[in-house]
Amino acid sequence: MARPPLHNDFSWSKSRHEKFSECLRAYYLYYYRSWGGWEADAARDVRELYVLKKLSNRYTWAGSIVHEALKDVLLDWRAGREVDPKAVEARAHRLMQDDFRHSRSKAYWTQKYRKPFTGLAEHEYAEEIPNEAWKQNFETVRSALAWFFQSRWPGIAKGLKPAQWLEVDAGFDFAHFTHEGVKVFAIPDFAYVDEAGSVVVVDWKTGRSREGYDEQVLGYALYISQRYRYPLEKVRASLVYLNEGLEHDVAVDPSAMATFHQHFAKSVAGMRALLVDPAANTPKEAEAFPQTGDLNACARCVFRRPCGREAAVAEARARVA
């Protein structure tokens, strides 16, 4: 049977807000112009944009490897299975080696690969990355996993009764809720009910603390509160920085939630202002989404070639070198 056509519905997420804030042209290409690029009859430029939007960089790739590993570990513990930390590290290493070979050959243009990984922007744009930098990528993963297994979290997870488990990284296709009439994606890495009856929402981080993380877990708290019918005052949120061995509790209180609501409303209003038909999520013409003037942002962007900024980025890097 033919599947019903997919519709590009308007939604909100932390990552969407960040792209909207950093570069409107990248936002347009990512969420609108690349739509339908998976279809066999997609226009060539649309197909290119769709493949590029799926690329990672080496930092987000390392983070995704850690998240995947911890998801599997938590699911094993929830099922009552034993976990060997050395085996977890070895599997992560093999996975990174396979990913690297797949990306270096640019097989992502012709071959389907595992989700969420497809390829790396460093390979697509032939960036000169020293071998030591690639080795450091695995060290980031190794040290994050090592700290996790020595932390308090294994004891917490293995001590939970079946009814106390709520979620373990449900995935982008499932973890969403409706807030003020908008579909919001929120994917907590771990959520459970503690012995006092409060819900704890946890987000693992492999990088350093930066602006926006508190609001991210506040969104997770809203999602958990709505889905599992827990009052917000019974929800706690925690950011865990695996490579720094630090934990940061985020207050889920009226003041913090008021700030989140203001941030959310302003972000949604800005995005909708660039739609010619908000109900159908139809964007204005590309000219309404100008390029950023920040070449540092372009250097991080997977769309630098179709956007016409590839040469400028290369020249800027050559001057620095």
Side-chain angles (χ1 to χ4, degrees):
M1 294 179 62
R3 70 182 184 190
L6 297 174
H7 186 264
N8 189 5
D9 296 323
F10 181 79
S11 63
W12 190 91
S13 65
K14 171 183 172 289
S15 58
R16 184 169 184 145
H17 169 77
E18 289 178 341
K19 199 168 294 293
F20 178 79
S21 301
E22 185 169 66
C23 176
L24 289 176
R25 181 58 56 85
Y27 171 82
Y28 169 75
L29 297 177
Y30 191 98
Y31 289 100
Y32 293 102
R33 184 58 187 154
S34 62
W35 181 261
W38 61 85
E39 300 288 1
D41 60 350
R44 184 175 179 178
D45 66 319
V46 175
R47 171 65 179 169
E48 178 187 18
L49 293 172
Y50 177 73
V51 173
L52 291 176
K53 74 177 281 186
K54 297 294 184 181
L55 299 181
S56 309
N57 61 49
R58 62 187 186 277
Y59 305 109
T60 57
W61 173 47
S64 69
I65 291 288
V66 172
H67 280 74
E68 288 179 67
L70 295 188
K71 175 182 178 178
D72 290 342
V73 167
L74 290 170
L75 290 176
D76 278 342
W77 284 337
R78 186 172 71 177
R81 294 187 289 265
E82 293 295 322
V83 172
D84 179 0
K86 291 184 178 179
V88 173
E89 178 184 316
R91 183 181 183 279
H93 195 198
R94 289 194 301 272
L95 196 57
M96 293 186 79
Q97 290 174 322
D98 290 344
D99 285 354
F100 184 88
R101 286 189 287 266
H102 176 84
S103 178
R104 185 175 56 186
S105 68
K106 297 187 178 181
Y108 47 84
W109 285 103
T110 56
Q111 301 174 13
K112 291 184 178 181
Y113 196 52
R114 68 176 187 87
K115 293 182 179 181
F117 184 79
T118 55
L120 297 168
E122 287 88 341
H123 290 139
E124 177 61 27
Y125 290 100
E127 297 178 25
E128 295 184 5
I129 308 298
N131 287 336
E132 286 304 313
W134 291 115
K135 292 178 182 178
Q136 180 57 45
N137 240 42
F138 173 66
E139 180 58 27
T140 296
V141 171
R142 189 205 63 76
S143 62
L145 294 175
W147 183 87
F148 172 81
F149 282 115
Q150 294 171 5
S151 72
R152 67 191 183 99
W153 292 102
I156 291 173
K158 288 189 282 187
L160 295 176
K161 298 175 182 177
Q164 290 178 270
W165 290 83
L166 293 182
E167 292 201 2
V168 177
D169 191 356
F172 198 75
D173 294 333
F174 304 101
H176 65 266
F177 66 107
T178 300
H179 181 58
E180 298 180 5
V182 178
K183 185 177 185 179
V184 178
F185 284 98
I187 313 172
D189 293 325
F190 184 29
Y192 65 94
V193 181
D194 67 13
E195 292 182 353
S198 295
V199 173
V200 182
V201 180
V202 183
D203 193 50
W204 315 121
K205 298 295 184 188
T206 52
R208 295 180 178 179
S209 173
R210 63 185 178 89
E211 187 177 350
Y213 283 164
D214 283 20
E215 290 170 343
Q216 180 182 10
V217 292
L218 288 175
Y220 294 168
L222 272 176
Y223 161 70
I224 290 294
S225 173
Q226 184 180 116
R227 178 168 183 177
Y228 296 97
R229 301 180 183 275
Y230 275 91
L232 272 173
E233 57 268 24
K234 296 281 286 183
V235 181
R236 296 190 290 116
S238 183
L239 289 162
V240 180
Y241 295 93
L242 298 163
N243 285 93
E244 296 183 319
L246 299 174
E247 298 183 30
H248 170 57
D249 291 332
V250 179
V252 185
D253 56 30
S255 175
M257 295 313 304
T259 300
F260 175 83
H261 291 313
Q262 292 171 3
H263 163 76
F264 175 82
K266 182 179 179 181
S267 177
V268 168
M271 293 176 185
R272 282 180 165 164
L274 292 175
L275 300 176
V276 66
D277 183 353
N281 193 32
T282 305
K284 295 180 179 179
E285 296 297 322
E287 290 71 23
F289 300 83
Q291 296 172 312
T292 179
D294 181 6
L295 278 182
N296 289 323
C298 296
R300 298 188 296 269
C301 183
V302 295
F303 298 127
R304 70 192 83 153
R305 181 174 60 244
C307 208
R309 289 287 177 86
E310 184 177 11
V313 167
E315 289 173 7
R317 284 180 167 159
R319 287 196 296 270
V320 172

